[in-house]
Amino acid sequence: MISSTIGIWNYWIVFCLMMIGLFLVIGRKNFLKKIVGLTIFQTSVFLLYITFGKIKGGTPPILNESIDSIYSNPLPHVLILTAIVVGVATTALGLSLVLRINTEYGSIEEDDISAQDLVDYHDDIETGKSVDLKFK
Amino acid sequence: MIDILTKNLSILVVLCPLITSLFVVLIPNIFFSWVLTTLSTFLTFLFSILLYQEIQIHSHISYALGKWMPPIGIEYIIDKVAIIPIIIISGISFIATIFAYKIMPEEIENKSISKVYSLWLLAIAGLLGLVTTGDAFNLFVFLEISSLASVALVAMGAQKDKQALVAAYNYLIIGAVGATLYVIGVGLLYGITGTLNMEDLTNRISDLNNNKALIAGFGFMIIGIMVKAAVFPLHIWLPRAYAYAPSAVSVLLAATATKASLYILARILFSVFENSENLINITLLYVIFPLSIIAMFAGTIMAIYEKDIKRLLAHSSVAQIGYITLAFAIGTKASIAAGFIHMFNHAIIKGGLFIAITSLGFYIQKRVTINNLSGLGRAMPITFFCFVLCSLSLAGLPLTAGFISKLYLIKATISSEAIWIAILILISSALSVVYLWKMIEVMWMREGRKIVIKENPTIYMSLIIITFFNIYFGLDASLVVNGSFEAAEKLIGDLK
């Protein structure tokens, strides 16, 4: 029982990282911390895939007549290379948005920003005093 | 030459916008970048029409990417189901590009317009790829291509209103979590079956009916796609993203973005997992069905109390997505067909309404709210007339496209002996008249400022085209109805 529980410790790590990441995304009000959480969440999935590919005692997947042994599955690694690229793109876009939000609102705390938005929305809709467009 | 073209049509549909997006970004001139974008979306639309004709002959086209044969290589599958979202996405994106010509320079500074068009094409390529691919992991890549491009497009609205940034940020975070959940699901399925090809997956999971990893993987995949499709409690990102995006972008996203994900939802439910019937029935009955019923009412009621018109239409989209998922949840052949009919009709209805509202915003140079609409109906008869026709279509009045989808949806519910669902659908449609009438009343009945507006043909042309389709598919719906019934038959076969 104990050996089978400890034997899959990779999955425990994946599970813990996943929950930490998801908690940061949902629970934190700071926009930057949310992105940190998202990155941790995605990294946990990378680990999950790599774990699937590993076989105990498996060699690297090299085609060779003389080596007659089991080898680890290379496909998850390739998939994760793609997922890492996607993750980097997501993080970069997210960070650039946070940067822009900081210059426009002067804050990256969700509470501050929604308070400012609420004022704008009220001005816009209830009083009809619409904000003029910046262009033209 | 023609032979090569027809053989490679399934990949050309995706490649055409993808490759032109790389060239558009290099063109500094606003006009020429628009011309190239229009040309590219027109070609894509042409390819999808050709593909439609091919489908009528072969009924199933499998394209092995790079000649790597299917279970191992990536496969693109186009059948009678996939062709419906392909036609919707390519057609609407063509009309939206025509509409963008005048609107885009108004809201976005000149130096970034060619970049916006590049992102625009990238989003379209992502959505089309999402629909054509038959590989579960490739689907994730396209999901992210389309959503990252859409996030950047929504954020371009910040040049007018800074709230677009927060909207884009929320869209990015929620979308990325959804996509990652989908990847976890694919990973679990890959772990137990060792394949990523969807058809192969279907065959291999038939042996492991009560495998816990299978159930977990299925759950993760469904939740991930439901986030992207904005099914009720996961729709939080949608109203803001549509409301603060640049006008042309809201037209494109509102009409196409959720449709692709809804199609993926249908394909995962009825095609990939067709052998685990027990699992599907439980999901449909206890998850998707109640959520759709709530969505129908929550979306409509939110729309009634909303004063910002673009947000109002976005809330109404949530309700309409509820109709489509409800049709899937009933799970008979007739109801799934009704879901596809409504998917098509909702795209042209919402496209038309968003075009009408954003052209109003273009003329009055303000955020379109209920208060500054007053009296505009008299000042702009053509736009107003098209707006009213599209509204009637949304409410489901006879002789419009919306009527056809409501008719088939209610017929399907009655034939599966669920009269109370039909009654709920009717009540929700009646409620939708409330918010539509609210807009029409303000525009037509109330006295407004005395302004003379000269309507611009480049703007109302696309509106007239899309309104024409709203009426045409209300009078002669045989094309859509037959296509949807064939799609439903392909999806669930003759089982039910």
Side-chain angles (χ1 to χ4, degrees):
Chain A
M1 179 61 202
I2 291 175
S3 68
S4 73
T5 314
I6 299 175
I8 52 169
W9 65 277
N10 268 35
Y11 291 103
W12 284 109
I13 291 177
V14 168
F15 181 73
C16 290
L17 282 179
M18 206 178 269
M19 288 308 118
I20 290 169
L22 206 54
F23 173 74
L24 284 175
V25 173
I26 297 167
R28 293 291 156 205
K29 296 279 184 189
N30 186 305
F31 279 176
L32 204 57
K33 285 181 185 164
K34 273 179 192 269
I35 290 185
V36 173
L38 187 66
T39 315
I40 294 174
F41 183 52
Q42 285 175 333
T43 312
S44 76
V45 182
F46 303 161
L47 275 178
L48 182 72
Y49 268 70
I50 300 298
T51 311
F52 287 146
K54 175 68 185 166
I55 292 173
K56 237 179 206 164
T59 58
I62 299 167
L63 194 65
N64 192 336
E65 297 287 316
S66 63
I67 302 173
D68 183 31
S69 59
I70 45 170
Y71 57 86
S72 295
N73 187 352
L75 189 64
H77 298 78
V78 182
L79 296 180
I80 284 320
L81 272 183
T82 316
I84 287 173
V85 174
V86 171
V88 168
T90 312
T91 315
L93 186 56
L95 287 176
S96 61
L97 278 175
V98 172
L99 207 61
R100 280 297 308 278
I101 289 173
N102 194 32
T103 49
E104 293 280 342
Y105 286 85
S107 165
I108 52 167
E109 294 292 330
E110 200 173 8
D111 294 339
D112 289 352
I113 289 166
S114 45
Q116 283 186 37
D117 277 351
L118 211 60
V119 173
D120 282 354
Y121 185 74
H122 182 79
D123 284 355
D124 225 20
I125 309 262
E126 300 295 340
T127 60
K129 180 185 71 184
S130 194
V131 188
D132 282 331
L133 302 186
K134 281 184 194 167
F135 287 88
K136 306 236 168 117
Chain B
M1 178 63 201
I2 299 289
D3 193 40
I4 295 173
L5 186 75
T6 45
K7 264 186 192 160
N8 295 308
L9 270 179
S10 16
I11 187 75
L12 277 175
V13 168
V14 184
L15 275 191
C16 180
L18 192 66
I19 289 181
T20 26
S21 78
L22 303 177
F23 290 105
V24 168
V25 77
L26 299 174
I27 302 174
N29 186 303
I30 302 173
F31 178 70
F32 287 112
S33 59
W34 175 77
V35 168
L36 192 59
T37 313
T38 314
L39 212 63
S40 163
T41 46
F42 176 70
L43 267 180
T44 315
F45 185 47
L46 200 69
F47 288 146
S48 53
I49 295 287
L50 290 175
L51 208 52
Y52 176 77
Q53 288 177 336
E54 280 292 295
I55 283 295
Q56 301 305 13
I57 306 165
H58 300 296
S59 88
H60 182 102
I61 300 175
S62 159
Y63 183 86
L65 209 62
K67 294 244 163 66
W68 288 87
M69 280 306 136
I72 298 191
I74 291 172
E75 184 190 16
Y76 278 32
I77 301 171
I78 293 178
D79 51 20
K80 288 194 165 160
V81 197
I83 196 71
I84 298 173
I86 289 176
I87 296 272
I88 295 175
I89 293 165
S90 56
I92 297 282
S93 59
F94 176 53
I95 295 173
T97 315
I98 298 175
F99 174 67
Y101 171 62
K102 201 81 183 160
I103 294 284
M104 203 70 110
E106 196 68 25
E107 298 184 342
I108 291 161
E109 51 185 352
N110 288 351
K111 68 173 167 37
S112 43
I113 281 197
S114 56
K115 289 171 208 156
V116 172
Y117 278 129
S118 173
L119 286 169
W120 175 278
L121 286 172
L122 214 54
I124 294 167
L127 290 171
L128 285 169
L130 201 61
V131 176
T132 41
T133 187
D135 183 280
F137 198 83
N138 199 228
L139 198 151
F140 160 71
V141 176
F142 279 120
L143 205 62
E144 283 298 45
I145 289 178
S146 68
S147 79
L148 288 181
S150 328
V151 166
L153 280 174
V154 170
M156 292 312 286
Q159 298 188 350
K160 222 177 69 177
D161 191 334
K162 62 181 176 179
Q163 293 194 46
L165 290 171
V166 184
Y169 180 84
N170 284 334
Y171 186 10
L172 176 78
I173 295 291
I174 297 173
V177 170
T180 312
L181 289 176
Y182 173 80
V183 180
I184 297 172
V186 173
L188 289 172
L189 286 185
Y190 179 71
I192 52 172
T193 60
T195 182
L196 289 168
N197 185 294
M198 284 188 184
E199 283 184 353
D200 206 22
L201 213 56
T202 312
N203 298 330
R204 294 201 193 184
I205 55 184
S206 58
D207 308 334
L208 2 112
N209 221 339
N210 279 320
N211 190 314
K212 285 200 176 102
L214 175 80
I215 297 171
F218 170 75
F220 276 119
M221 276 170 98
I222 286 291
I223 293 292
I225 294 298
M226 272 162 71
V227 171
K228 293 283 180 181
V231 177
F232 169 64
L234 309 168
H235 70 282
I236 313 290
W237 56 269
L238 185 139
R240 270 187 153 194
Y242 287 5
Y244 295 108
S247 307
V249 175
S250 347
V251 174
L252 181 73
L253 292 185
T256 59
T258 52
K259 305 294 173 301
S261 306
L262 282 170
Y263 161 72
I264 301 298
L265 189 66
R267 194 154 80 176
I268 290 175
L269 283 172
F270 301 115
S271 173
V272 178
F273 285 86
E274 67 180 357
N275 292 322
S276 10
E277 233 170 88
N278 205 7
L279 190 62
I280 296 299
N281 287 341
I282 290 172
T283 314
L284 289 179
L285 188 61
Y286 294 109
V287 182
I288 298 187
F289 179 68
L291 290 182
S292 326
I293 297 277
I294 301 171
M296 264 161 45
F297 285 95
T300 312
I301 291 166
M302 293 286 274
I304 290 174
Y305 285 103
E306 186 61 62
K307 286 179 174 166
D308 183 317
I309 304 293
K310 273 168 105 182
R311 274 198 196 199
L312 187 154
L313 292 178
H315 284 303
S316 132
S317 275
V318 173
Q320 303 294 322
I321 290 166
Y323 288 125
I324 299 172
T325 48
L326 175 70
F328 291 158
I330 294 169
T332 60
K333 193 177 134 189
S335 78
I336 293 170
F340 278 104
I341 295 170
H342 195 49
M343 198 190 273
F344 182 87
N345 288 340
H346 178 239
I348 53 177
I349 294 167
K350 256 313 136 51
L353 283 175
F354 263 101
I355 290 180
I357 286 301
T358 49
S359 23
L360 292 174
F362 169 76
Y363 293 121
I364 60 174
Q365 293 283 307
K366 269 182 191 156
R367 241 197 120 57
V368 191
T369 61
I370 201 88
N371 291 328
N372 50 28
L373 276 181
S374 41
L376 279 178
R378 289 167 196 275
M380 289 184 282
I382 300 174
T383 313
F384 179 69
F385 181 66
C386 294
F387 176 77
V388 171
L389 284 181
C390 290
S391 310
L392 293 181
S393 187
L394 185 67
L397 253 71
L399 300 184
T400 57
F403 174 70
I404 302 291
S405 42
K406 294 271 162 63
L407 179 72
Y408 278 92
L409 190 55
I410 287 171
K411 255 167 82 177
T413 51
I414 289 174
S415 68
S416 57
E417 289 170 356
I419 307 292
W420 63 279
I421 304 173
I423 294 169
L424 286 178
I425 293 170
L426 286 175
I427 294 174
S428 160
S429 310
L431 283 174
S432 73
V433 176
V434 175
Y435 61 77
L436 293 169
W437 177 250
K438 188 172 79 174
M439 288 188 280
I440 294 170
E441 186 201 358
V442 170
M443 283 161 79
W444 190 247
M445 308 286 184
R446 215 181 277 176
E447 281 300 312
R449 293 152 295 157
K450 290 274 177 289
I451 38 169
V452 182
I453 293 169
K454 205 168 164 292
E455 286 174 278
N456 195 326
T458 46
I459 291 174
Y460 69 68
M461 192 174 70
S462 44
L463 183 57
I464 286 177
I465 295 172
I466 212 162
T467 315
F468 167 75
F469 282 122
N470 267 309
I471 301 298
Y472 177 78
F473 287 115
L475 295 174
D476 177 17
S478 56
L479 210 62
V480 183
V481 171
N482 289 343
S484 303
F485 270 92
E486 279 170 0
E489 196 173 317
K490 176 84 182 49
L491 267 182
I492 61 168
D494 302 322
L495 291 172
K496 289 165 190 170

